[in-house]
Amino acid sequence: MGDEKTNQKKRSTGVNRRDFLASGGLTLGAAALASSSLKALGCADPSCQDKSGTGGQPMASDMGVIGDCTSGTLDPDLFLTHFDWGKVTKDLGDGKKRREYTFFAVDKEIEIAPGLFFPAWAYTSETPHDQDGNQIPGPGGSTGHVPGPTIRCREGDEIYIKFINQNNHPHTIHFHGYHSSEMDGSMKHQFVFQNETFEYEFMAEPFGLHLYHCHSVPLKRHIHKGLYGTYIIDPKEGREPARELVMVMNGFDTNFDGDNEIYAVNSVANHHMRYPIKVKKDELVRIYLVNTTEFDSINSFHLHANFFYENRTGTSMKAEYFTDTVMFCQGERSILEMRFPKTGLYMFHAHQSEFAELGWMGNFEVV
């Protein structure tokens, strides 16, 4: 079994993303990357030249994935709708709860495109729970996932996280939001070394869409390798019921040259081109959109044939913008809300064309 898995892996070495695009496509394999994993916006096969009357240029059907990820190391579909509410151990009154979590940092190879594995560092939650207190399976199970579990709670809840580092590098969990300096996870004396434990404890404030990530050094390496996740604090009065989706924009430098070769939402390139996200006509769709991309100063989200309301950082009950495109630096995030008045396929992608061609594309299927 181990040998079979090894034989399936195709690793990129010595080729950067500009080489991918200049060669007319994104190809993944051994040194020459000769075995395609993502379809390129180009036509490398001589048999397809000029058949469409476009001078050999690709048609829309050429966008997408060749093959499928079969290792099960990542589950972008489960992650999309997975919220870890923690184990409630105490009722604090006035609707507030004490929520407890146990998190680990682990090594994990993840399949980010068909046949392409990346040596990640990942967070995992020992016992994720749903809103009703039931224990539920988490994406990645006990072996970790990139992004890490989505932590969810309510404004004023008491949060307790026992963090155990099972990786041989020092790690932390740094949360955006309010907490004391002792809980910041950013200073050298707060680094958690292999087999050590640290306990984070703070009140969930302010309400909004936040994130967490490792703040050990070198910071860019620890984030790029996969140690990040989403942290949602619901307002006391709650929000209007909706179809809720978590989308974390990220990228992967597969040959460690400081440039990303793969871009995605929730880690698997073009996954939602192959498996569109199904939503219902006219229902309210709420996206918790976070950017954790390293090595690029900006990332973006564009929705086709529709507009959405944008609530920056989710710290207001009222949306500030009505648009179809948002752009984020690393760590920026927004809550997007939309309805689809007509059925059909609606594309979404980064509006940096290079990112889209390297995997950051998907579709909504409105039914």
Side-chain angles (χ1 to χ4, degrees), residues 15-298:
V15 180
N16 62 35
R17 65 181 182 183
R18 271 80 188 183
D19 295 328
F20 288 168
L21 294 173
S23 67
L26 195 161
T27 54
L28 308 172
L33 307 182
S35 177
S36 274
S37 179
L38 298 183
K39 271 194 176 178
L41 298 186
C43 193
D45 182 355
S47 68
C48 74
Q49 298 297 321
D50 297 318
K51 283 186 177 181
S52 63
T54 62
Q57 294 303 307
M59 302 298 286
S61 60
D62 289 317
M63 300 179 186
V65 176
I66 294 175
D68 201 359
C69 294
T70 59
S71 66
T73 55
L74 292 174
D75 192 341
D77 293 312
L78 178 58
F79 178 86
L80 192 69
T81 57
H82 185 272
F83 302 95
D84 188 352
W85 289 82
K87 182 179 180 181
V88 175
T89 58
K90 189 176 182 180
D91 189 335
L92 305 176
D94 194 27
K96 301 175 184 177
K97 312 288 184 183
R98 177 178 170 88
R99 301 183 184 276
E100 297 190 356
Y101 304 78
T102 300
F103 268 44
F104 298 88
V106 298
D107 287 298
K108 181 170 184 175
E109 284 200 330
I110 57 175
E111 191 177 11
I112 58 175
L116 180 67
F117 287 75
F118 179 81
W121 296 335
Y123 288 122
T124 182
S125 174
E126 183 177 58
T127 53
H129 289 75
D130 65 16
Q131 189 173 2
D132 298 320
N134 302 309
Q135 190 170 335
I136 54 175
S142 62
T143 64
H145 195 273
V146 178
T150 298
I151 298 173
R152 192 160 187 180
C153 57
R154 295 186 181 88
E155 183 181 13
D157 281 349
E158 187 176 274
I159 304 300
Y160 168 86
I161 297 180
K162 182 179 181 181
F163 174 55
I164 304 168
N165 183 11
Q166 294 183 336
N167 180 266
N168 60 2
H169 296 269
H171 297 303
T172 70
I173 308 179
H174 166 69
F175 292 88
H176 288 219
Y178 297 158
H179 49 254
S180 68
S181 61
E182 291 81 5
M183 297 290 111
D184 199 51
S186 60
M187 307 300 287
K188 187 174 181 180
H189 69 273
Q190 296 169 340
F191 292 177
V192 182
F193 290 84
Q194 187 175 25
N195 297 323
E196 290 186 348
T197 298
F198 189 87
E199 297 175 344
Y200 296 95
E201 195 164 1
F202 47 84
M203 301 300 290
E205 299 175 305
F207 76 81
L209 171 59
H210 309 300
L211 66 152
Y212 65 88
H213 57 84
C214 182
H215 215 293
S216 186
V217 292
L219 183 57
K220 65 181 179 181
R221 185 182 186 207
H222 287 245
I223 292 180
H224 164 247
K225 288 271 282 182
L227 290 173
Y228 47 78
T230 304
Y231 169 41
I232 300 171
I233 304 176
D234 286 344
K236 293 177 183 177
E237 59 269 42
R239 300 186 189 272
E240 183 180 353
R243 167 87 159 127
E244 295 188 314
L245 309 168
V246 178
M247 293 188 181
V248 179
M249 301 186 293
N250 52 3
F252 297 92
D253 175 12
T254 59
N255 59 3
F256 299 96
D257 66 347
D259 268 335
N260 293 312
E261 281 71 53
I262 297 290
Y263 293 88
V265 61
N266 302 343
S267 300
V268 179
N270 279 357
H271 178 80
H272 294 298
M273 290 291 286
R274 187 176 179 87
Y275 301 101
I277 300 169
K278 290 187 177 181
V279 299
K280 295 179 181 178
K281 176 179 174 291
D282 293 323
E283 79 172 331
L284 179 63
V285 177
R286 179 176 299 127
I287 298 175
Y288 297 98
L289 182 69
V290 179
N291 180 32
T292 61
T293 311
E294 195 60 78
F295 305 125
D296 290 280
S297 58
I298 198 166

